[in-house]
Amino acid sequence: MRVSTNQYSQMMSGSLSQNSLGINKIMQQMATGKRLLVPSDDPMASTRVMSLKREQASISQYLGNIEQADVALKKQETYLSSAVDVLHQMRDLMLWAGNDANGPDERAAMANELEHLQDSLVSLVNAKDENGKYIFSGNEVNTQPLVKDQDGNWIYQGDTGVREVVVGDGVTIQLNVNAEDMFFSGGTDIFNQLDELVVALRDPDYDFAASDIIERSVDVLDETLVSVSGTVTGLGSRQNALTTMQDGHSEVELFNNDLIGQLEDLDYADAMVQYNNYLLALQATQATYVKTASLSLFSIM
């Protein structure tokens, strides 16, 4: 078969172009460190990498949610642990107030101390987060949870709404607790009970021997302690669950990163071999083309 000069020129040009493109591609791969520059480089591997990266994006979102949730839960636990300490101090004072050896002056001093402790407890319940949102108001984060109404009674203004955050595939965790569930359950609450007790302690003529106010106050406080302490325990359990989820996500994230690297990262040693092969082929084609281009019928006669 005869090959015309034009056909030969096209063959040489195609070979030069192919080898040049091969060299350029390998240089791009070496510059980026990636074997896969476009999906067509390895369709199956590219599909797998895209799937893994979508999973990585979800894991990254989960880890971010876990971090935010952990901060929120720890903050609530801190405030409520302080509330438990205040409640224990109140309980000690109540038991002391029940001692028949106390006179009006002693009981008045106890009333003052109980009032100070009540102020501390109210402040803890009405705590805000770093964004100025009330922590224990349920979903009514812009509403102060604990206030006094026109009649001077303590009331809860928030709701019992639950806020949740996604921390895994189909897994959510509750972010908040509310003051009503902890302090206003069962139709009685420690705040109004304290007001009643303080009034009695300041009344020099109040007959404590004929009244059960101390016993009732201690009972309400004990119920509150059980409720708040149980909530603190629950917050701790949620934090432990978050830690478990976080560890699991981190392990999967590391595994996925390693797998993505295996699929798309460049093997520099192999790339150098390919580069040299393309370069040798390019040089050989160029040399052949130059030599044959200079030939003619006159040069061999």
Side-chain angles (χ1 to χ4, degrees), residues 168-212:
D169 187 11
V171 181
T172 60
I173 195 102
Q174 183 176 333
L175 280 177
N176 68 311
V177 294
N178 66 80
E180 182 171 61
D181 290 341
M182 291 182 287
F183 296 98
F184 285 83
S185 59
T188 59
D189 66 88
I190 188 62
F191 302 102
N192 287 302
Q193 186 62 43
L194 280 170
D195 281 353
E196 181 183 352
L197 178 58
V198 166
V199 170
L201 290 171
R202 283 184 174 148
D203 184 355
D205 299 322
Y206 193 90
D207 187 358
F208 284 92
S211 173
D212 65 347

Side-chain angles (χ1 to χ4, degrees), residues 131-151:
N131 297 315
K133 306 296 184 182
Y134 289 101
I135 296 175
F136 300 112
S137 285
N139 286 330
E140 298 294 328
V141 294
N142 294 314
T143 301
Q144 183 173 312
L146 192 59
V147 297
K148 279 193 171 184
D149 63 16
Q150 294 180 346
D151 297 324

Side-chain angles (χ1 to χ4, degrees), residues 77 226-240:
E77 183 182 22
V226 169
S227 178
V228 178
S229 298
T231 301
V232 171
T233 300
L235 291 171
S237 297
R238 290 182 216 170
Q239 291 174 63
N240 291 336

Side-chain angles (χ1 to χ4, degrees), residues 213-254:
I213 190 170
I214 298 293
E215 182 181 354
R216 284 190 290 109
S217 297
V218 171
D219 287 344
V220 172
L221 188 141
D222 285 344
E223 290 176 5
T224 305
L225 264 174
V226 169
S227 178
V228 178
S229 298
T231 301
V232 171
T233 300
L235 291 171
S237 297
R238 290 182 216 170
Q239 291 174 63
N240 291 336
L242 287 177
T243 299
T244 301
M245 293 293 296
Q246 185 178 46
D247 291 343
H249 288 322
S250 296
E251 289 180 7
V252 173
E253 188 177 44
L254 288 173

Side-chain angles (χ1 to χ4, degrees), residues 54-67 69 164-174 238 241-250 252:
R54 284 195 296 269
E55 184 178 2
Q56 293 294 76
S58 296
I59 289 175
S60 179
Q61 182 64 56
Y62 296 150
L63 289 172
N65 290 347
I66 287 172
E67 184 178 353
E164 295 182 329
V165 64
V166 179
V167 295
D169 187 11
V171 181
T172 60
I173 195 102
Q174 183 176 333
R238 290 182 216 170
L242 287 177
T243 299
T244 301
M245 293 293 296
Q246 185 178 46
D247 291 343
H249 288 322
S250 296
V252 173

